[in-house]
Amino acid sequence: MVHQLSAGSCKRLQNASPDDVDVFESQHTLQFLSIKKVGNNPGAPASAPDRYRIIMSDGINYMQAMLATQLNHMVQDNTIGRNTIAVVEKLTCNYVQEKRLVIILSLRVLELTAEKIGDPSQIGPSEMPAVASPSTGNGPSAPPAQATPEVASPAQAAPAQAAAAPRQQAPPQTRHGNIYPIEGLSPYQNNWTIKARVTQKSEIKTWSNARGEGKLFNVTLMDDSGEIRGTGFNLVVDDLYPRLEEGKVYYISKARVNLAKKKFSNINNDYELSFERNTEVEECHEVTNVPTIKYNFVPLNGLEDLSKDAICDVIAVVKETSPVTQITSAKLQRELAKRELTLVDKSGFSVRMTLWGKQAEQYNVSEPTPVIAFKGVKVGDFGGRSLSMFSGSTMQVNPEIDECFALRGWYDNIGAEQTFKAHSNTGGGSSMYGFKREEIRSLDEIKQAGYGEPDKPENFSARATIMHIKSDNISYPACPTTNCNKKVVEMGDSWRCEKCNQNFPTPEHRYIMSLAVADYSGQAWLQGFNDVGTTIFGMTANQLLEIKDRDINEYNAILHKANCNTYNFSCRAKQDTYNETTRIRYGISRIIPLNYKEEAQMLRDLLYSPWAR
DNA sequence: CCCCCCCC
């Protein structure tokens, strides 16, 4: 495959000012001549991500760029390498100390390993046109940049241009300097300003532990590129807490960019901000391009498809509001304010939403049945399904969005008179008949655990694939009386049930089957009864036996076709003695075909929710 | 530097 490099891209990138969106957000087909890991700052924490410097060529020139750390995996899993040709789709640029740094934010590989194209040369200082505001130019006498430990030295690649005229290329001197997308922030950039909306502000929290005590608050900041969490500690709380207001937009600069501990936040960013004493915050009144909260609403009837502890957004009419009550949390050893809202929506379901602490106390909506949009709330299983706000969750009363208008119209017309279904503990979702998705165990684990000791049957959940079904004896003739299911014996031209003391012209065949199933860890034999067979074969045992009598090949084909299908199982391990041999038998109490949407959502929730496991 | 998200 022959790819055409974007001749001239290096020059354009080299000369672009950081707000030159046309250059940084257009597509450049480039070849990576080298990718090299560079050292971290001496002061960087051990957990700091690796940083990679890329020498990239447009066939005519080459230049250096840094790979945004969120793309590090591409180097580590060899998605990119030496001589890779890729479309660089998004870049950014900023100044670290006096040095200009181009950072690759997004790329798409065209060819992993190609021949080197052309004979590109380094862009020299002579090719750097004078640009930008002459008023800010320091001229050629500007002190050359020091190679700082903060940034990889570009020595091999392009020593000259980085130091040559950095000031000439400085961004337009707005009062707030270089406006940066949140997505582009990373620890090796220190001269940025973001323009972001505070979408959430926590209350002031205090702590006291072995390492000391103090207070802190968090905000969630959002712009059109992404979101990031910011935290202020102690003295900074006094300064910034009153100045940052939910919903308003601010210019923020000179905060520290740290690695986020994902475990503790559902915010989609590898980094978080730490507000320092010198952090600058100024409200922005020209609010353009700063999105308000984006929602991904789940209707209330859809909550049963989410697993417990999933995080979701909902919009609903608040039909009832409880007063604030104080509960005593055993866990926290203190009192805690709580308020319950009853939410309803067009799906005809109602669900309870719990607010805690400040959010419970400060809930202050005068109208009786507002529409409220909630973001980042936690799904619980109390009463089938419940919802709960985190301190990081947000709510918007009567937001100016279509979903809100639609709900308002529906409720005022018909919804107010409707009765609503509550979620129940049975059926659907993760509460189905003992199957616990979050407690799935491997077959090997079950065997190792020795479940099913004498008189101690154990229930467990498993996900396994059918490998083989014993075909010789797949069913038994049973009493057709509802809920009897006892084996009947053939007596002349009828079938007798001893339990019911009755004879029947024909029995009802019921499945009794042994399945060999396997998962990644090993295999096991599971015993299944009637519902297992009807689930697996999609027909009753009577129907299957009829096929077996008519055409043994078709019967064998049906059994064969059942193999290689994966199910969720609720099982019961029980010790069993038969013919003086004791063994553990695994009975299937429920077989559940995989719901791929639900399985995928579970995986998604694992990624998004630090509390889902 | 927190990192708990609670109760019934």
Side-chain angles (χ1 to χ4, degrees), chain A residues 230-288:
Chain A
T231 305
F233 290 96
N234 302 322
L235 289 171
V236 173
V237 177
D238 301 332
D239 178 25
L240 292 185
Y241 191 78
R243 289 171 54 200
L244 287 168
E245 291 180 48
E246 245 174 52
K248 291 191 172 173
V249 176
Y250 299 87
Y251 294 110
I252 298 174
S253 59
K254 296 196 173 72
R256 217 170 57 212
V257 183
N258 292 326
L259 218 82
K261 288 161 205 139
K262 301 293 264 186
K263 199 176 122 190
F264 301 125
S265 167
N266 58 332
I267 287 174
N268 183 24
N269 201 312
D270 288 343
Y271 303 111
E272 59 187 26
L273 298 179
S274 176
F275 301 138
E276 307 294 316
R277 291 309 308 278
N278 64 337
T279 292
E280 291 172 7
V281 170
E282 192 190 317
E283 190 178 347
C284 167
H285 295 284
E286 313 131 49
V287 181
T288 54

Side-chain angles (χ1 to χ4, degrees), chain A residues 117-262:
Chain A
I117 297 177
D119 185 20
S121 61
Q122 187 177 303
I123 295 181
S126 61
E127 296 182 56
M128 302 280 290
V131 290
S133 35
S135 60
T136 60
N138 278 6
S141 64
Q146 291 292 107
T148 70
E150 195 74 24
V151 185
S153 160
Q156 310 92 306
Q161 83 278 16
R167 289 302 195 86
Q168 290 179 344
Q169 290 177 63
Q173 294 297 297
T174 70
R175 200 151 52 85
H176 299 284
N178 186 4
I179 303 295
Y180 229 73
I182 285 175
E183 184 191 50
L185 295 177
S186 76
Y188 53 87
Q189 295 155 18
N190 59 9
N191 182 24
W192 48 260
T193 299
I194 54 170
K195 178 178 164 184
R197 190 185 299 276
V198 174
T199 57
Q200 182 272 141
K201 181 171 85 164
S202 75
E203 56 194 303
I204 295 171
K205 289 173 270 190
T206 57
W207 83 90
S208 172
N209 61 28
R211 284 185 297 269
E213 56 186 54
K215 62 182 175 182
L216 72 119
F217 78 106
N218 310 105
V219 290
T220 306
L221 300 166
M222 176 184 269
D223 69 9
D224 61 357
S225 76
E227 56 182 346
I228 193 165
R229 186 163 88 145
T231 305
F233 290 96
N234 302 322
L235 289 171
V236 173
V237 177
D238 301 332
D239 178 25
L240 292 185
Y241 191 78
R243 289 171 54 200
L244 287 168
E245 291 180 48
E246 245 174 52
K248 291 191 172 173
V249 176
Y250 299 87
Y251 294 110
I252 298 174
S253 59
K254 296 196 173 72
R256 217 170 57 212
V257 183
N258 292 326
L259 218 82
K261 288 161 205 139
K262 301 293 264 186

Side-chain angles (χ1 to χ4, degrees), chain A residues 425-550:
Chain A
N425 279 313
T426 53
S430 59
S431 53
M432 40 193 173
Y433 296 94
F435 175 73
K436 293 193 180 119
R437 176 186 316 291
E438 59 276 17
E439 290 175 19
I440 283 179
R441 286 167 213 284
S442 74
L443 297 174
D444 182 61
E445 201 182 331
I446 297 301
K447 289 182 175 174
Q448 298 298 329
Y451 285 151
E453 293 309 301
D455 305 320
K456 264 191 14 189
E458 279 280 342
N459 294 312
F460 63 91
S461 299
R463 173 176 303 138
T465 303
I466 297 174
M467 307 305 285
H468 177 71
I469 299 171
K470 263 195 178 159
S471 63
D472 47 352
N473 200 7
I474 206 165
S475 66
Y476 68 97
C479 172
T481 305
T482 306
N483 292 332
C484 175
N485 302 339
K486 283 281 176 255
K487 188 173 179 175
V488 291
V489 288
E490 197 165 8
M491 314 259 297
D493 57 358
S494 71
W495 298 76
R496 175 161 183 80
C497 175
E498 294 298 343
K499 188 185 171 204
C500 297
N501 193 19
Q502 233 182 305
N503 284 37
F504 301 94
T506 53
E508 181 184 80
H509 291 278
R510 292 179 66 84
Y511 290 107
I512 179 166
M513 46 202 292
S514 287
L515 313 178
V517 302
D519 66 9
Y520 66 88
S521 72
Q523 74 90 43
W525 284 96
L526 306 182
Q527 316 307 315
F529 294 97
N530 205 40
D531 58 326
V532 173
T534 50
T535 298
I536 289 174
F537 299 119
M539 64 181 85
T540 64
N542 277 355
Q543 290 168 321
L544 186 58
L545 278 195
E546 190 271 317
I547 291 170
K548 184 183 183 183
D549 289 342
R550 194 183 65 219

